[in-house]
Amino acid sequence: QLQLVESGGGLVQPGGSLRLSCAASGFTLHYYAIAWFRQAPGKEREGVSCLSASGTTTNYADPVKGRFTVSRDNAKNTVYLQMNSLKPEDTAVYYCAAERLSSWYQCRFDDMDYWGKGTLVTVSS
């Protein structure tokens, strides 16, 4: 079965850090660009960060630039989202997604092939 499974969410105080993981099973994540999305209560889903299959191209949404870092460990078939200096407005369900693109060096937030079910991040004191 082809799936992505997120983990690492939880409750954290403002200014704290979390690292989200997204493990793939049933397919080799190495060949896919990946993206992290989030959806806050009452808001539309938004792209947060993406990473090319090559691992050399990244893109971050303006609200998280300088605070979030996306990475991948191909040996573990897993991608990560390191989130630092968390703010209450980062509270959301975070999803990872994967897309096989013709370019090894591209990533985007459209037309994803596989989605995880999400992990909840709550930033509150």
Side-chain angles (χ1 to χ4, degrees):
Q1 185 176 3
L2 307 177
Q3 62 178 354
L4 294 169
V5 180
E6 302 95 337
S7 61
L11 174 64
V12 62
Q13 292 187 341
S17 298
L18 281 175
R19 188 178 78 158
L20 305 183
S21 300
C22 173
S25 61
F27 67 104
T28 303
L29 199 57
H30 177 58
Y31 298 108
Y32 289 75
I34 63 94
W36 286 93
F37 296 80
R38 67 185 181 186
Q39 186 166 21
K43 295 187 177 180
E44 293 187 354
R45 186 174 63 199
E46 62 177 350
V48 173
S49 177
C50 69
L51 176 65
S52 63
S54 68
T56 58
T57 300
T58 59
N59 190 14
Y60 295 93
D62 286 342
V64 308
K65 281 181 180 177
R67 300 188 297 122
F68 289 12
T69 303
V70 62
S71 63
R72 62 197 307 154
D73 185 335
N74 292 328
K76 295 183 178 180
N77 217 27
T78 300
V79 296
Y80 303 98
L81 185 67
Q82 178 67 43
M83 306 186 296
N84 298 328
S85 302
L86 284 161
K87 305 175 181 180
E89 51 264 43
D90 294 317
T91 295
V93 177
Y94 284 73
Y95 302 88
C96 66
E99 181 184 17
R100 188 152 188 177
L101 294 170
S102 58
S103 170
W104 197 248
Y105 303 100
Q106 182 185 7
C107 71
R108 63 184 185 181
F109 298 112
D110 299 317
D111 298 327
M112 309 308 289
D113 296 324
Y114 302 110
W115 287 86
K117 294 184 178 181
T119 185
L120 176 63
V121 172
T122 303
V123 185
S124 175
S125 55

